[in-house]
Each structure stands twice: as C-alpha cells, then as structure tokens.
Amino acid sequence: KAGVTQTPRYLIKTRGQQVTLSCSPISGHRSVSWYQQTPGQGLQFLFEYFSETQRNKGNFPGRFSGRQFSNSRSEMNVSTLELGDSALYLCASSLETGYYEQYFGPGTRLTVT
Amino acid sequence: GNSVTQMEGPVTLSEEAFLTINCTYTATGYPSLFWYVQYPGEGLQLLLKATKADDKGSNKGFEATYRKETTSFHLEKGSVQVSDSAVYFCALSDRIRGSTLGRLYFGRGTQLTVWP
C-alpha cells in the first residue's frame, strides 16, 4: 500500500507570494492533518480535515488555509508569504478523524526569500 | 493544557550502548502516547505507541512503557546501531470523554548520533 505522498517536495517562493501544497493520503484514510516543522518552534499543528470539513485548527493566522476533496486528497494554501513561513510542511493521514495513529508523508520544504 | 517535554539533545553514543530518551507529558484527558523517528530529509515514522496506562509499546528493539503515575513514556533500546541515528519525537494524542481530539502534540525532538 502506498504511503502518504506530498507534492512538491521542494519549493522556493518570494515574500508576498502565495503557495499551494498538496497531500494524498494512504488509500482508505479519510482524515488528513497538516503540521509545520521549524527549528525554532518544532512541530506545530495547523489543521485537520475529515469528510471535506475542517475538524480542528491550530493557532496559525488566517493566511494559512486548507481544504479536502471528496477523494480525501488535501491542499493547504499560504497567502502573502513571510520569511518566517519557511519550514517543512508535513501532512499526516489517519483512518478516521480522532483515530490516534497518524502516518506522515515526506514533507514539502518551503523556502521563502 | 496538553504538552510534551523530552530531554534535550544531542545524544551521542557508541554502537551497542544502551539508550534512554526521557519523555514526560501533561494532558487534560486520557492520552495515547507515541514515539516517532525522523531520518534526515524524511518525514516522521511511527516507531511505537501505547494507548493506556501500563501498556508497553515496542518495535525494532525500542521499548517505552506508559507510566501514568509519573506521566512518563521514556524510550529505551538495549543496544543501539549506527542506523538508529535520527531525531526522535515523543508525542501525545489526547482523548476526552472517549473522543480523541485528532491532533498530535510533540516534544522538541532529540537528535541521536551513534558512532561505530
């Protein structure tokens, strides 16, 4: 069974631009969560989607948004990029919402210049 | 609130040495506890888990026991290998009134380097 896939793997953007990251969960998994990983703040929860609905949200500004499609694939968008948004963005999938085991993708490394 | 505290690294060991990485937690409900491992340039891999007090999670020679009385979930391995070099994260998923909140709370990670 294929794991969680994320595209693109690497991305370089300029301040003020926007970016969209994509995540395909493990087949049969219906919940997708997003995390931001930085050296300074560690791993921080962004949001979780299940059945195309945002179920849970972390403490991030409104520039960070996401969505989930009917096939459970998810995208996250960051608008008006700031230098501090440079991070590894990790997507995790889970069988159901609230199911405790989450499986992570390889991440998208975003660099904002 | 929910939080995880794990020992700061880096941890440097010789091959076949004994490993302990300490992890303590604070949770409002009844958490499940996890250890994840991250190899360079990769995402997180679930190493082991425990879902209730006194459970022992184990995988690939690593073990951790869920100790509710000390709110701890320390990771141990009897004999480390060079291939175990990675960053290890302790995490919890809280559960209140039987409902898991569906997010993970992570510690800051511990870098382990094993020399031959």
Side-chain angles (χ1 to χ4, degrees):
Chain A
K1 191 183 263 190
V4 178
T5 58
Q6 292 187 245
T7 56
R9 290 293 310 276
Y10 302 92
L11 207 48
I12 299 175
K13 290 287 188 179
T14 304
R15 265 184 307 174
Q17 288 185 315
Q18 76 164 19
V19 68
T20 300
L21 313 181
S22 180
C23 171
S24 293
I26 292 171
S27 177
H29 284 198
R30 301 200 294 153
S31 170
V32 173
S33 298
W34 290 88
Y35 295 82
Q36 182 196 63
Q37 185 179 23
T38 61
Q41 299 298 318
L43 280 152
Q44 294 185 287
F45 173 77
L46 281 155
F47 26 65
E48 181 207 1
Y49 285 86
F50 177 77
S51 291
E52 303 177 62
T53 302
Q54 187 180 90
R55 282 260 305 160
N56 208 345
K57 188 177 188 305
N59 190 25
F60 277 82
R63 299 185 298 106
F64 292 81
S65 63
R67 60 177 174 168
Q68 186 181 35
F69 302 94
S70 58
N71 61 358
S72 297
R73 192 177 70 84
S74 176
E75 290 181 347
M76 68 163 280
N77 184 277
V78 187
S79 63
T80 319
L81 284 165
E82 301 177 359
L83 294 178
D85 297 333
S86 294
L88 181 66
Y89 289 89
L90 293 164
C91 166
S93 80
S94 178
L95 204 57
E96 299 285 341
T97 184
Y99 193 76
Y100 51 79
E101 282 194 37
Q102 295 189 15
Y103 295 87
F104 285 79
T108 294
R109 171 74 63 186
L110 172 64
T111 302
V112 182
T113 62
Chain B
N2 299 309
S3 66
V4 175
T5 302
Q6 62 181 104
M7 62 185 281
E8 297 285 329
V11 174
T12 304
L13 296 172
S14 297
E15 207 164 27
E16 298 183 5
F18 184 85
L19 168 71
T20 299
I21 300 177
N22 290 337
C23 171
T24 57
Y25 67 89
T26 302
T28 53
Y30 303 93
S32 297
L33 301 173
F34 310 87
W35 279 99
Y36 281 85
V37 58
Q38 186 175 36
Y39 298 98
E42 297 184 13
L44 302 177
Q45 295 179 25
L46 179 61
L47 181 59
L48 53 84
K49 67 181 187 290
T51 59
K52 62 183 187 300
D54 299 325
D55 269 0
K56 177 186 280 189
S58 61
N59 186 26
K60 300 180 182 180
F62 290 90
E63 292 183 341
T65 301
Y66 187 161
R67 303 282 189 203
K68 188 178 178 186
E69 63 276 13
T70 55
T71 62
S72 65
F73 192 55
H74 304 321
L75 182 68
E76 296 182 336
K77 186 176 185 184
S79 176
V80 294
Q81 306 299 312
V82 172
S83 58
D84 294 328
S85 299
V87 181
Y88 292 81
F89 292 91
C90 185
L92 74 82
S93 177
D94 207 356
R95 193 164 57 233
I96 296 176
R97 293 188 295 276
S99 175
T100 303
L101 298 184
R103 61 171 287 184
L104 291 168
Y105 297 82
F106 286 92
R108 294 304 302 267
T110 302
Q111 171 75 56
L112 169 66
T113 302
V114 181
W115 296 100

